Amino acid sequence: MPTQTRHASTCACGAVLLETSGPPIDAVACHCGDCQAAGRRIQALPGALPVFDTFGGTPFLVFRKDRMRPVRGNECLQALKLTPASPTTRYVATCCNALMYVGFDDARHWVSMHRDRFLGEVPAVRMRACIGNVPAQELPADLPCRRGYPWSFAGKLVLAGLAGWLEGRAA
């Protein structure tokens, strides 16, 4: 049986530890308005870790929700919503004000975990998404830049959901 890939994600002080199994679905830096607004709000908290990368995006590793689990510090995670109607919830480690991940209130099967919280070797960001509000001259040409999320990304999410459904049926 092949060895399962595991990654550990922790806040700055180490009180919160999340573990993932399997490879991420993708690695993306998001520049959407919600990520920008939430990032500014989180970075304004006392002692908060940076949310944005060098180019103003929020770097995420996207995992199937069933492949992420809290190991310790779940009681330190606080839900942050931009508005009561927002479909996304950001989870911040209140011990040191570190953004840990973004979840969805609907039945979506994935979570977007802040890339900079992972320990060890971490997959590189593969694209910048939702760059509609970013002046083109501010982004380097080292990665694909998309105004939204491309069909290839959506396809990866669909395939990951299907794989999770099949695994659940086989269990």
Side-chain angles (χ1 to χ4, degrees):
M1 175 177 269
T3 306
Q4 191 68 262
T5 305
R6 296 207 181 275
H7 298 282
S9 173
T10 186
C11 65
C13 71
V16 175
L17 178 64
L18 307 173
E19 182 180 80
T20 63
S21 61
I25 297 167
D26 213 338
V28 178
C30 186
H31 294 261
C32 77
D34 281 0
C35 282
Q36 294 295 303
R40 286 189 299 272
R41 187 182 293 181
I42 293 165
Q43 285 187 164
L45 297 171
L49 290 176
V51 172
F52 304 120
D53 64 15
T54 305
F55 304 105
T58 305
F60 291 116
L61 296 182
V62 181
F63 285 91
R64 279 184 15 200
K65 192 184 302 185
D66 65 341
R67 292 195 171 174
M68 190 268 292
R69 70 179 186 92
V71 175
R72 70 172 175 264
N74 201 34
E75 70 281 359
C76 295
L77 291 174
Q78 180 179 18
L80 173 92
K81 292 182 83 57
L82 287 176
T83 67
S86 177
T88 55
T89 303
R90 283 152 178 85
Y91 292 88
V92 178
T94 57
C95 45
C96 55
N97 291 324
L99 172 62
M100 298 301 296
Y101 68 96
V102 179
F104 300 90
D105 297 347
D106 58 17
R108 294 184 207 185
H109 59 274
W110 70 88
V111 294
S112 298
M113 300 180 68
H114 199 285
R115 182 183 177 277
D116 294 349
R117 306 298 171 254
F118 281 87
L119 304 173
E121 283 191 44
V122 182
V125 168
R126 296 171 25 93
M127 77 171 150
R128 296 183 212 321
C130 301
I131 62 160
N133 295 326
V134 181
Q137 68 272 16
E138 292 184 15
L139 295 174
D142 61 338
L143 296 173
C145 293
R146 305 287 187 244
R147 293 190 73 71
Y149 282 98
W151 287 107
S152 60
F153 179 76
K156 289 178 186 182
L157 294 176
V158 168
L159 289 174
L162 179 60
W165 181 77
L166 289 171
E167 287 174 16
R169 289 188 47 97

